[in-house]
Amino acid sequence: MRIGKSPLVLVLTLAALSLQCGKKEEVGEAPKEEGAAPAVAYQPTGDEGTITGVVNFTGQPPQRRRIQMDADPVCAQKNPSALSEDVIVNNGKLQNVFVYVKSGLEKYSFSVPSEEPVLDQNGCMYRPRVLGVMAGQNLKIITSDPTNHNIHPTPKNNPEWNVNQPPGSEPIIRSFPRPEVMIPVKCNQHPWMRAYVGVLRHPFHAVSREDGSFEIKGLPPGEYEIEAWHERYGAQVAKVTVGAKETKQIEFTYAAGQAYRPGSLRLMPALVLPCCEKTMARAAK
Amino acid sequence: MPVRESEGLYRFALVTVGATFVLLVLGALVTSNEAGDSVPDWPTAFGRWMPLDQIVGNVIYEYTHRIAAATVGILMLVLAMGVWWKEKRAWVRRLGGVALLAVLVQAGLGGARVLFVEHRFALALIHAFMGQFFFSLVVSLALVTSPGWRRLEQSRSEIHLPAYLPRLCSAAVVGLFVQLLLGAGFRHRGMGILPHILGAVGVSVLLLGIIWSVRKVAREREVELRVLSRPALWVAGLLGAQLGLGIAAYFARRAARFDPQPLEPMISLTVAHVAGGALLLAALLVLTWRVFWLSGMRRATPVLQPAGQKI
């Protein structure tokens, strides 16, 4: 009976396609747009401006769910009343929105800061949940928990890795070489643990605080597209012109009904593998 | 080999089938609990063989899956050796060898899935497929070493089956494997649900065609085709259950899309759907093997059974 041969051929073909699609580009300099003038290293002039703002939330926010940490007694003991953190709204203001300069800085390059943002695992939750780094900037991952964790970022344009961090171990220092907004980070041992890292080619980003406010300082005067990104409500863009030593205020507003459907539950585009989206977008272009 | 002599081998093959089914269920639990990368190293776990103090949270699913996989590997090795020594049919010995090779490849794929995280989707897909493919090989081994199969081989009974039936069964087996792949693609969040829904429609049409054909043959030829109608009945029942479970699992997943972690009933429904897929594959394989055997016999001695006689 000649069963099994055809499915094997199919699976190998799919695997080859998927492996090809999943292939990450060579790690190195951030990709530059074709025909773009070479970026010059930015030197502060004292004319830099500031963007401040707030992220509003209208409508009834979803109720925060209790996280069941019973699978790891250490977590349950340390953080007995943990709540979901994907949507945190205080007095109509949305927390944990990543706000960054999406465009307007292409003509400049920026040196990578030596400071290392810290991602802590505390109470079996990531602290902070949302953070930004520059491409190539070190990220310091520490654990304050007396239990095991694994740290597993799942980027699309950066190398993926998965490392175990037992309690009391040395910090893990890693960096992401290519810009990418956003990289989900998860702990597969504690599946409720989620964090998001925004990797940029410049240092101009902020994360909305408990009161929904944010501030981006030190911007060269110019016209910018500012994007706000939220893990559940998606992205919004605002255009703003910042003059010399000027402080501009902008607002973003999310509505309760805007929650998007996770990719895996979409009906269409059904045949597009997420790993191939970039390749297909390029082909379409 | 006399019927009674092969029973030991058959029973051991059945044990291996059972263990492999449990392994498939444990694998589904790993995926549904998002535990696939909870242990970042392989073949050791956190650098040790027995990291009992580090089995917390989701690690229990991944580690149990590994222990079960090792058990199935050992069972398959013993079964392959038994088949090699006891079996006189060369093609059954070869089948045992292929199954042993498949379990070794599957173990390697499981390891690669852990170690090469950048290719986790493709490797998870192949790993899920190979799991079902290995299961189908073990089911086939259990079937062809069973006393029932021996009796079928030794029987001179013959029926005329439509020429399209073996082809229809082959198409259904291929279709079901493709469908299992599409399901794995959706479960591993690599693709949307639409291909899996279309696959379900296609496979259902093929399976209903087979069931209808078996009933038609039995009616037209006035024979009681237990050897085919029983597995066909299983296929019909499992197909209905699978469709129901699939719909329930999808809506449970939709309802749980904003849950902070995998929760019930999404986990149980998804795992039951995967298990149902394996059982449906097993029933279809039994039916397909028998259809092929009876179709082959027809060429030798065409004898039509009188009405009511059981085959």
Side-chain angles (χ1 to χ4, degrees), chain A residues 3 10 15 18-19 24 65 68 71 148 150 152 154 159-160 162 188-189 192 194 264 266-268 270 273-274, chain B residues 34 37-38 46 54 57-58 117-121 126 178 186 190 192-195 250 257-261 285 289:
Chain A
I3 56 165
L10 180 78
S18 192
L19 282 170
K24 303 285 193 293
R65 307 273 302 271
Q68 295 176 15
N148 235 22
N150 76 299
H152 183 192
T154 54
E160 186 172 334
N162 182 22
N188 303 93
Q189 296 170 11
W192 58 83
R194 289 283 157 94
S264 63
R266 276 183 212 147
L267 277 175
M268 293 296 285
L273 306 180
Chain B
E34 299 175 11
D37 292 298
S38 57
F46 309 113
Q54 285 181 294
N58 266 349
V117 283
E118 294 217 11
H119 300 302
R120 68 194 143 82
F121 173 65
I126 305 171
V178 172
F186 173 66
I193 188 67
L194 197 60
Y250 176 72
R257 65 192 186 276
F258 296 127
D259 282 354
Q261 66 202 99
L285 278 170
W289 273 101

Tab-separated table of all heavy atoms in Angstrom, chain A residues 3 10 15 18-19 24 65 68 71 148 150 152 154 159-160 162 188-189 192 194 264 266-268 270 273-274, chain B residues 34 37-38 46 54 57-58 117-121 126 178 186 190 192-195 250 257-261 285 289:
chain	number	residue	atom	x	y	z
A	3	ILE	N	0.594	4.342	0.935
A	3	ILE	CA	0.131	5.498	1.700
A	3	ILE	C	1.343	6.113	2.389
A	3	ILE	O	2.339	5.462	2.614
A	3	ILE	CB	-0.936	5.126	2.755
A	3	ILE	CG1	-0.381	4.043	3.670
A	3	ILE	CG2	-2.211	4.707	2.111
A	3	ILE	CD1	-1.159	3.845	4.916
A	10	LEU	N	4.586	16.371	0.771
A	10	LEU	CA	3.914	17.637	1.066
A	10	LEU	C	4.530	18.311	2.286
A	10	LEU	O	4.819	19.509	2.277
A	10	LEU	CB	2.425	17.391	1.291
A	10	LEU	CG	1.628	18.645	1.599
A	10	LEU	CD1	1.354	19.428	0.321
A	10	LEU	CD2	0.324	18.310	2.270
A	15	ALA	N	7.782	22.340	4.818
A	15	ALA	CA	8.869	22.629	5.754
A	15	ALA	C	9.938	23.474	5.083
A	15	ALA	O	10.418	24.454	5.642
A	15	ALA	CB	9.475	21.327	6.250
A	18	SER	N	8.631	26.909	4.696
A	18	SER	CA	8.564	27.586	5.981
A	18	SER	C	9.957	27.960	6.484
A	18	SER	O	10.168	29.040	7.017
A	18	SER	CB	7.859	26.686	6.985
A	18	SER	OG	7.549	27.413	8.097
A	19	LEU	N	10.921	27.033	6.292
A	19	LEU	CA	12.279	27.324	6.734
A	19	LEU	C	12.844	28.499	5.935
A	19	LEU	O	13.500	29.375	6.472
A	19	LEU	CB	13.174	26.102	6.540
A	19	LEU	CG	13.022	25.004	7.595
A	19	LEU	CD1	13.759	23.746	7.163
A	19	LEU	CD2	13.553	25.465	8.943
A	24	LYS	N	16.078	34.434	8.900
A	24	LYS	CA	16.300	35.828	9.271
A	24	LYS	C	17.393	36.414	8.380
A	24	LYS	O	18.296	35.719	7.940
A	24	LYS	CB	16.741	35.919	10.738
A	24	LYS	CG	15.775	35.289	11.711
A	24	LYS	CD	14.564	36.173	11.910
A	24	LYS	CE	13.735	35.753	13.092
A	24	LYS	NZ	13.070	34.493	12.996
A	65	ARG	N	-8.225	40.315	34.453
A	65	ARG	CA	-8.498	38.944	34.891
A	65	ARG	C	-7.475	38.495	35.926
A	65	ARG	O	-6.299	38.861	35.852
A	65	ARG	CB	-8.422	37.999	33.679
A	65	ARG	CG	-9.298	38.416	32.500
A	65	ARG	CD	-10.683	37.867	32.628
A	65	ARG	NE	-10.672	36.418	32.723
A	65	ARG	CZ	-10.715	35.599	31.684
A	65	ARG	NH1	-10.761	36.083	30.464
A	65	ARG	NH2	-10.726	34.290	31.848
A	68	GLN	N	-3.968	32.761	37.134
A	68	GLN	CA	-3.885	31.527	37.935
A	68	GLN	C	-2.446	31.043	37.956
A	68	GLN	O	-1.959	30.475	36.988
A	68	GLN	CB	-4.809	30.467	37.340
A	68	GLN	CG	-6.277	30.862	37.439
A	68	GLN	CD	-7.194	29.862	36.779
A	68	GLN	OE1	-6.815	28.736	36.484
A	68	GLN	NE2	-8.422	30.272	36.543
A	71	ALA	N	0.125	26.678	39.125
A	71	ALA	CA	1.044	25.698	38.541
A	71	ALA	C	2.451	25.825	39.140
A	71	ALA	O	3.219	24.872	39.097
A	71	ALA	CB	1.101	25.881	37.031
A	148	ASN	N	12.477	29.178	38.761
A	148	ASN	CA	13.061	29.176	37.414
A	148	ASN	C	12.243	30.043	36.445
A	148	ASN	O	11.013	30.112	36.570
A	148	ASN	CB	12.993	27.741	36.894
A	148	ASN	CG	14.333	27.236	36.458
A	148	ASN	OD1	15.361	27.748	36.887
A	148	ASN	ND2	14.327	26.246	35.600
A	150	ASN	N	12.285	30.977	31.975
A	150	ASN	CA	13.011	31.029	30.695
A	150	ASN	C	12.593	32.302	29.979
A	150	ASN	O	11.441	32.739	30.087
A	150	ASN	CB	12.767	29.773	29.836
A	150	ASN	CG	11.419	29.762	29.169
A	150	ASN	OD1	10.394	29.772	29.838
A	150	ASN	ND2	11.399	29.738	27.843
A	152	HIS	N	12.221	34.112	26.440
A	152	HIS	CA	12.093	33.680	25.054
A	152	HIS	C	11.475	34.786	24.197
A	152	HIS	O	10.259	34.854	24.058
A	152	HIS	CB	11.240	32.409	25.012
A	152	HIS	CG	11.108	31.832	23.642
A	152	HIS	ND1	10.202	30.851	23.332
A	152	HIS	CD2	11.768	32.093	22.490
A	152	HIS	CE1	10.314	30.548	22.053
A	152	HIS	NE2	11.246	31.288	21.520
A	154	THR	N	10.364	36.420	20.736
A	154	THR	CA	9.967	35.825	19.453
A	154	THR	C	9.878	36.913	18.384
A	154	THR	O	8.791	37.300	17.955
A	154	THR	CB	8.612	35.096	19.588
A	154	THR	OG1	7.664	36.015	20.141
A	154	THR	CG2	8.699	33.893	20.474
A	159	PRO	N	17.387	37.771	15.565
A	159	PRO	CA	17.580	36.363	15.948
A	159	PRO	C	16.731	36.020	17.168
A	159	PRO	O	16.619	36.813	18.102
A	159	PRO	CB	19.070	36.288	16.294
A	159	PRO	CG	19.685	37.483	15.659
A	159	PRO	CD	18.627	38.541	15.634
A	160	GLU	N	16.134	34.837	17.126
A	160	GLU	CA	15.322	34.381	18.258
A	160	GLU	C	16.191	33.553	19.200
A	160	GLU	O	17.072	32.827	18.758
A	160	GLU	CB	14.174	33.514	17.715
A	160	GLU	CG	13.176	33.098	18.777
A	160	GLU	CD	11.960	32.422	18.161
A	160	GLU	OE1	11.636	32.699	16.981
A	160	GLU	OE2	11.329	31.613	18.867
A	162	ASN	N	16.273	31.535	23.363
A	162	ASN	CA	15.499	31.020	24.504
A	162	ASN	C	16.497	30.571	25.563
A	162	ASN	O	17.258	29.637	25.340
A	162	ASN	CB	14.622	29.851	24.032
A	162	ASN	CG	13.759	29.289	25.139
A	162	ASN	OD1	13.479	29.972	26.129
A	162	ASN	ND2	13.329	28.057	24.989
A	188	ASN	N	7.929	30.521	28.774
A	188	ASN	CA	7.080	29.362	28.462
A	188	ASN	C	6.778	28.524	29.698
A	188	ASN	O	5.869	27.707	29.700
A	188	ASN	CB	7.754	28.488	27.409
A	188	ASN	CG	8.061	29.258	26.145
A	188	ASN	OD1	9.151	29.791	25.992
A	188	ASN	ND2	7.092	29.367	25.260
A	189	GLN	N	7.583	28.726	30.748
A	189	GLN	CA	7.308	27.986	31.990
A	189	GLN	C	6.109	28.578	32.727
A	189	GLN	O	5.401	27.871	33.447
A	189	GLN	CB	8.551	28.013	32.885
A	189	GLN	CG	9.728	27.292	32.246
A	189	GLN	CD	11.042	27.501	32.978
A	189	GLN	OE1	11.072	28.021	34.088
A	189	GLN	NE2	12.132	27.092	32.358
A	192	TRP	N	1.638	33.064	31.415
A	192	TRP	CA	0.991	34.375	31.551
A	192	TRP	C	2.018	35.508	31.467
A	192	TRP	O	1.653	36.669	31.327
A	192	TRP	CB	0.246	34.454	32.905
A	192	TRP	CG	1.157	34.229	34.073
A	192	TRP	CD1	1.957	35.157	34.687
A	192	TRP	CD2	1.397	32.998	34.746
A	192	TRP	NE1	2.676	34.573	35.693
A	192	TRP	CE2	2.343	33.254	35.762
A	192	TRP	CE3	0.903	31.704	34.599
A	192	TRP	CZ2	2.813	32.247	36.612
A	192	TRP	CZ3	1.366	30.708	35.447
A	192	TRP	CH2	2.307	30.981	36.439
A	194	ARG	N	4.316	37.989	29.930
A	194	ARG	CA	4.518	38.608	28.617
A	194	ARG	C	5.181	39.964	28.788
A	194	ARG	O	4.831	40.713	29.711
A	194	ARG	CB	3.177	38.826	27.906
A	194	ARG	CG	2.505	37.586	27.420
A	194	ARG	CD	3.167	37.089	26.149
A	194	ARG	NE	2.904	35.653	25.965
A	194	ARG	CZ	1.901	35.172	25.244
A	194	ARG	NH1	1.105	35.991	24.639
A	194	ARG	NH2	1.726	33.879	25.124
A	264	SER	N	-3.561	34.374	14.831
A	264	SER	CA	-3.833	32.953	14.683
A	264	SER	C	-5.318	32.659	14.541
A	264	SER	O	-5.703	31.581	14.125
A	264	SER	CB	-3.286	32.194	15.886
A	264	SER	OG	-3.944	32.604	17.050
A	266	ARG	N	-7.402	34.685	12.774
A	266	ARG	CA	-7.931	35.313	11.574
A	266	ARG	C	-8.333	34.272	10.549
A	266	ARG	O	-7.659	33.265	10.378
A	266	ARG	CB	-6.868	36.209	10.948
A	266	ARG	CG	-6.815	37.576	11.570
A	266	ARG	CD	-5.779	38.395	10.821
A	266	ARG	NE	-5.154	39.330	11.748
A	266	ARG	CZ	-3.911	39.719	11.672
A	266	ARG	NH1	-3.129	39.254	10.734
A	266	ARG	NH2	-3.419	40.567	12.540
A	267	LEU	N	-9.426	34.543	9.878
A	267	LEU	CA	-9.807	33.657	8.784
A	267	LEU	C	-8.911	33.911	7.578
A	267	LEU	O	-8.442	33.009	6.922
A	267	LEU	CB	-11.258	33.908	8.387
A	267	LEU	CG	-12.316	33.205	9.225
A	267	LEU	CD1	-13.680	33.663	8.786
A	267	LEU	CD2	-12.224	31.704	9.103
A	268	MET	N	-8.698	35.170	7.279
A	268	MET	CA	-7.881	35.551	6.128
A	268	MET	C	-6.848	36.576	6.594
A	268	MET	O	-7.099	37.327	7.504
A	268	MET	CB	-8.751	36.169	5.044
A	268	MET	CG	-9.709	35.205	4.406
A	268	MET	SD	-8.911	33.872	3.521
A	268	MET	CE	-8.361	34.756	2.069
A	270	ALA	N	-5.577	33.494	5.064
A	270	ALA	CA	-5.388	32.199	5.674
A	270	ALA	C	-4.109	31.505	5.242
A	270	ALA	O	-3.529	30.763	5.995
A	270	ALA	CB	-6.587	31.332	5.339
A	273	LEU	N	1.693	32.629	5.879
A	273	LEU	CA	2.338	32.324	7.138
A	273	LEU	C	2.920	33.623	7.692
A	273	LEU	O	3.457	34.425	6.930
A	273	LEU	CB	3.469	31.318	6.933
A	273	LEU	CG	3.077	30.036	6.217
A	273	LEU	CD1	4.276	29.125	6.087
A	273	LEU	CD2	1.978	29.318	6.975
A	274	PRO	N	2.816	33.861	8.998
A	274	PRO	CA	3.323	35.116	9.546
A	274	PRO	C	4.791	35.351	9.207
A	274	PRO	O	5.210	36.457	8.935
A	274	PRO	CB	3.147	34.927	11.053
A	274	PRO	CG	2.114	33.902	11.200
A	274	PRO	CD	2.219	33.013	10.009
B	34	GLU	N	1.208	26.045	25.665
B	34	GLU	CA	2.326	26.896	25.236
B	34	GLU	C	3.594	26.551	25.999
B	34	GLU	O	4.354	27.423	26.426
B	34	GLU	CB	1.976	28.379	25.408
B	34	GLU	CG	0.769	28.796	24.576
B	34	GLU	CD	0.333	30.234	24.826
B	34	GLU	OE1	1.074	30.971	25.470
B	34	GLU	OE2	-0.765	30.590	24.371
B	37	ASP	N	8.648	25.528	24.662
B	37	ASP	CA	10.021	25.988	24.875
B	37	ASP	C	10.332	26.161	26.361
B	37	ASP	O	11.273	26.868	26.715
B	37	ASP	CB	10.232	27.319	24.142
B	37	ASP	CG	10.180	27.137	22.642
B	37	ASP	OD1	11.033	26.410	22.110
B	37	ASP	OD2	9.267	27.690	22.000
B	38	SER	N	9.556	25.507	27.206
B	38	SER	CA	9.767	25.695	28.641
B	38	SER	C	11.082	25.085	29.117
B	38	SER	O	11.622	25.498	30.140
B	38	SER	CB	8.593	25.119	29.442
B	38	SER	OG	8.426	23.758	29.126
B	46	PHE	N	17.502	21.308	31.549
B	46	PHE	CA	18.248	22.208	32.432
B	46	PHE	C	19.613	21.592	32.781
B	46	PHE	O	20.083	21.686	33.916
B	46	PHE	CB	17.449	22.510	33.707
B	46	PHE	CG	16.049	22.975	33.438
B	46	PHE	CD1	14.958	22.192	33.807
B	46	PHE	CD2	15.817	24.187	32.803
B	46	PHE	CE1	13.667	22.605	33.541
B	46	PHE	CE2	14.514	24.613	32.534
B	46	PHE	CZ	13.445	23.813	32.906
B	54	GLN	N	13.199	21.183	39.359
B	54	GLN	CA	12.919	22.298	38.434
B	54	GLN	C	11.647	22.074	37.620
B	54	GLN	O	11.369	22.829	36.684
B	54	GLN	CB	14.113	22.502	37.503
B	54	GLN	CG	15.279	23.182	38.233
B	54	GLN	CD	16.464	23.404	37.320
B	54	GLN	OE1	17.094	22.464	36.866
B	54	GLN	NE2	16.760	24.656	37.045
B	57	GLY	N	5.524	24.855	36.929
B	57	GLY	CA	4.745	25.474	35.850
B	57	GLY	C	4.579	24.533	34.671
B	57	GLY	O	4.281	23.342	34.828
B	58	ASN	N	4.824	25.067	33.496
B	58	ASN	CA	4.611	24.317	32.263
B	58	ASN	C	5.647	23.220	32.019
B	58	ASN	O	5.473	22.418	31.097
B	58	ASN	CB	4.659	25.291	31.073
B	58	ASN	CG	3.278	25.776	30.688
B	58	ASN	OD1	2.275	25.252	31.159
B	58	ASN	ND2	3.229	26.772	29.837
B	117	VAL	N	15.171	27.317	17.795
B	117	VAL	CA	13.937	28.076	18.032
B	117	VAL	C	13.570	28.971	16.858
B	117	VAL	O	12.399	29.295	16.663
B	117	VAL	CB	14.002	28.917	19.333
B	117	VAL	CG1	13.800	28.064	20.542
B	117	VAL	CG2	15.293	29.701	19.420
B	118	GLU	N	14.573	29.366	16.080
B	118	GLU	CA	14.268	30.248	14.947
B	118	GLU	C	13.383	29.557	13.917
B	118	GLU	O	12.694	30.207	13.146
B	118	GLU	CB	15.565	30.716	14.280
B	118	GLU	CG	16.377	31.605	15.187
B	118	GLU	CD	17.059	32.716	14.436
B	118	GLU	OE1	16.757	32.919	13.266
B	118	GLU	OE2	17.894	33.395	15.054
B	119	HIS	N	13.435	28.242	13.878
B	119	HIS	CA	12.633	27.490	12.905
B	119	HIS	C	11.526	26.713	13.608
B	119	HIS	O	11.124	25.644	13.161
B	119	HIS	CB	13.528	26.539	12.117
B	119	HIS	CG	14.604	27.244	11.361
B	119	HIS	ND1	14.332	28.208	10.416
B	119	HIS	CD2	15.953	27.165	11.437
B	119	HIS	CE1	15.483	28.678	9.939
B	119	HIS	NE2	16.461	28.066	10.543
B	120	ARG	N	11.074	27.274	14.726
B	120	ARG	CA	10.157	26.483	15.560
B	120	ARG	C	8.858	26.149	14.848
B	120	ARG	O	8.307	25.067	15.035
B	120	ARG	CB	9.902	27.157	16.902
B	120	ARG	CG	9.133	28.434	16.876
B	120	ARG	CD	9.254	29.160	18.194
B	120	ARG	NE	9.319	30.576	17.969
B	120	ARG	CZ	8.269	31.345	17.765
B	120	ARG	NH1	7.078	30.823	17.790
B	120	ARG	NH2	8.391	32.633	17.563
B	121	PHE	N	8.356	27.046	14.004
B	121	PHE	CA	7.084	26.755	13.345
B	121	PHE	C	7.217	25.577	12.380
B	121	PHE	O	6.441	24.619	12.432
B	121	PHE	CB	6.559	27.993	12.604
B	121	PHE	CG	5.350	27.692	11.773
B	121	PHE	CD1	4.162	27.307	12.374
B	121	PHE	CD2	5.400	27.736	10.399
B	121	PHE	CE1	3.049	26.985	11.613
B	121	PHE	CE2	4.299	27.428	9.625
B	121	PHE	CZ	3.117	27.054	10.231
B	126	ILE	N	6.499	19.739	11.226
B	126	ILE	CA	7.027	18.432	10.811
B	126	ILE	C	6.925	17.438	11.975
B	126	ILE	O	6.580	16.270	11.791
B	126	ILE	CB	8.490	18.540	10.343
B	126	ILE	CG1	8.616	19.579	9.235
B	126	ILE	CG2	8.997	17.207	9.826
B	126	ILE	CD1	10.052	19.916	8.870
B	178	VAL	N	-2.932	15.635	5.333
B	178	VAL	CA	-2.857	17.073	5.001
B	178	VAL	C	-3.668	17.874	6.023
B	178	VAL	O	-3.233	18.913	6.526
B	178	VAL	CB	-3.372	17.344	3.570
B	178	VAL	CG1	-3.487	18.837	3.296
B	178	VAL	CG2	-2.446	16.700	2.543
B	186	PHE	N	-2.458	25.723	12.285
B	186	PHE	CA	-3.331	26.655	13.017
B	186	PHE	C	-3.006	26.638	14.513
B	186	PHE	O	-2.888	27.688	15.143
B	186	PHE	CB	-4.799	26.279	12.788
B	186	PHE	CG	-5.754	27.076	13.631
B	186	PHE	CD1	-5.898	28.434	13.422
B	186	PHE	CD2	-6.487	26.475	14.639
B	186	PHE	CE1	-6.770	29.186	14.206
B	186	PHE	CE2	-7.355	27.215	15.424
B	186	PHE	CZ	-7.492	28.573	15.211
B	190	GLY	N	0.634	29.427	13.067
B	190	GLY	CA	1.389	29.739	11.859
B	190	GLY	C	0.498	30.112	10.698
B	190	GLY	O	0.961	30.690	9.719
B	192	GLY	N	-3.966	30.802	9.359
B	192	GLY	CA	-5.348	31.014	9.769
B	192	GLY	C	-6.133	29.715	9.812
B	192	GLY	O	-5.604	28.635	9.516
B	193	ILE	N	-7.394	29.826	10.147
B	193	ILE	CA	-8.241	28.643	10.315
B	193	ILE	C	-8.824	28.173	8.981
B	193	ILE	O	-9.204	27.005	8.835
B	193	ILE	CB	-9.374	28.938	11.335
B	193	ILE	CG1	-10.173	27.667	11.696
B	193	ILE	CG2	-10.322	30.004	10.827
B	193	ILE	CD1	-9.404	26.656	12.455
B	194	LEU	N	-8.889	29.079	7.986
B	194	LEU	CA	-9.593	28.745	6.740
B	194	LEU	C	-9.071	27.478	6.045
B	194	LEU	O	-9.875	26.631	5.638
B	194	LEU	CB	-9.578	29.944	5.789
B	194	LEU	CG	-10.596	29.864	4.655
B	194	LEU	CD1	-12.018	29.787	5.176
B	194	LEU	CD2	-10.454	31.060	3.721
B	195	PRO	N	-7.745	27.297	5.895
B	195	PRO	CA	-7.280	26.062	5.251
B	195	PRO	C	-7.760	24.814	5.994
B	195	PRO	O	-8.112	23.807	5.382
B	195	PRO	CB	-5.756	26.175	5.316
B	195	PRO	CG	-5.460	27.609	5.490
B	195	PRO	CD	-6.615	28.185	6.243
B	250	TYR	N	-12.564	25.607	18.220
B	250	TYR	CA	-12.327	26.914	17.591
B	250	TYR	C	-13.030	28.026	18.383
B	250	TYR	O	-12.431	29.073	18.676
B	250	TYR	CB	-12.810	26.924	16.139
B	250	TYR	CG	-12.672	28.283	15.502
B	250	TYR	CD1	-11.421	28.776	15.162
B	250	TYR	CD2	-13.786	29.086	15.281
B	250	TYR	CE1	-11.275	30.038	14.609
B	250	TYR	CE2	-13.647	30.350	14.720
B	250	TYR	CZ	-12.394	30.816	14.385
B	250	TYR	OH	-12.255	32.074	13.850
B	257	ARG	N	-9.315	34.325	23.517
B	257	ARG	CA	-8.210	35.009	22.844
B	257	ARG	C	-7.573	36.110	23.681
B	257	ARG	O	-6.438	36.487	23.439
B	257	ARG	CB	-8.649	35.547	21.483
B	257	ARG	CG	-9.712	36.631	21.506
B	257	ARG	CD	-10.239	36.835	20.098
B	257	ARG	NE	-11.167	37.928	19.964
B	257	ARG	CZ	-12.469	37.837	20.230
B	257	ARG	NH1	-12.971	36.703	20.700
B	257	ARG	NH2	-13.259	38.868	20.051
B	258	PHE	N	-8.297	36.625	24.654
B	258	PHE	CA	-7.687	37.656	25.494
B	258	PHE	C	-7.393	37.147	26.905
B	258	PHE	O	-7.103	37.942	27.798
B	258	PHE	CB	-8.594	38.895	25.554
B	258	PHE	CG	-8.765	39.559	24.214
B	258	PHE	CD1	-10.019	39.828	23.706
B	258	PHE	CD2	-7.649	39.892	23.451
B	258	PHE	CE1	-10.167	40.440	22.464
B	258	PHE	CE2	-7.792	40.500	22.206
B	258	PHE	CZ	-9.050	40.771	21.711
B	259	ASP	N	-7.465	35.863	27.092
B	259	ASP	CA	-7.105	35.302	28.403
B	259	ASP	C	-5.612	35.510	28.649
B	259	ASP	O	-4.810	35.422	27.708
B	259	ASP	CB	-7.417	33.802	28.449
B	259	ASP	CG	-8.901	33.539	28.646
B	259	ASP	OD1	-9.640	34.513	28.854
B	259	ASP	OD2	-9.314	32.367	28.593
B	260	PRO	N	-5.248	35.764	29.894
B	260	PRO	CA	-3.823	35.999	30.151
B	260	PRO	C	-2.970	34.734	30.020
B	260	PRO	O	-1.746	34.816	29.992
B	260	PRO	CB	-3.807	36.520	31.594
B	260	PRO	CG	-5.089	36.073	32.190
B	260	PRO	CD	-6.077	35.961	31.088
B	261	GLN	N	-3.594	33.567	29.962
B	261	GLN	CA	-2.855	32.310	29.889
B	261	GLN	C	-3.796	31.247	29.308
B	261	GLN	O	-5.013	31.440	29.301
B	261	GLN	CB	-2.391	31.880	31.285
B	261	GLN	CG	-3.545	31.536	32.215
B	261	GLN	CD	-3.186	31.626	33.676
B	261	GLN	OE1	-3.476	32.622	34.331
B	261	GLN	NE2	-2.555	30.603	34.190
B	285	LEU	N	-7.187	3.886	8.628
B	285	LEU	CA	-6.105	2.990	8.205
B	285	LEU	C	-6.550	1.530	8.224
B	285	LEU	O	-6.237	0.769	7.302
B	285	LEU	CB	-4.896	3.177	9.116
B	285	LEU	CG	-3.982	4.355	8.769
B	285	LEU	CD1	-2.975	4.584	9.876
B	285	LEU	CD2	-3.256	4.098	7.450
B	289	TRP	N	-6.438	-0.601	4.872
B	289	TRP	CA	-5.664	-1.847	4.761
B	289	TRP	C	-6.580	-2.988	4.302
B	289	TRP	O	-6.217	-3.787	3.444
B	289	TRP	CB	-5.048	-2.217	6.108
B	289	TRP	CG	-3.710	-1.593	6.376
B	289	TRP	CD1	-3.468	-0.506	7.156
B	289	TRP	CD2	-2.438	-2.029	5.898
B	289	TRP	NE1	-2.133	-0.228	7.188
B	289	TRP	CE2	-1.471	-1.156	6.424
B	289	TRP	CE3	-2.014	-3.065	5.069
B	289	TRP	CZ2	-0.113	-1.285	6.160
B	289	TRP	CZ3	-0.659	-3.201	4.809
B	289	TRP	CH2	0.284	-2.320	5.351
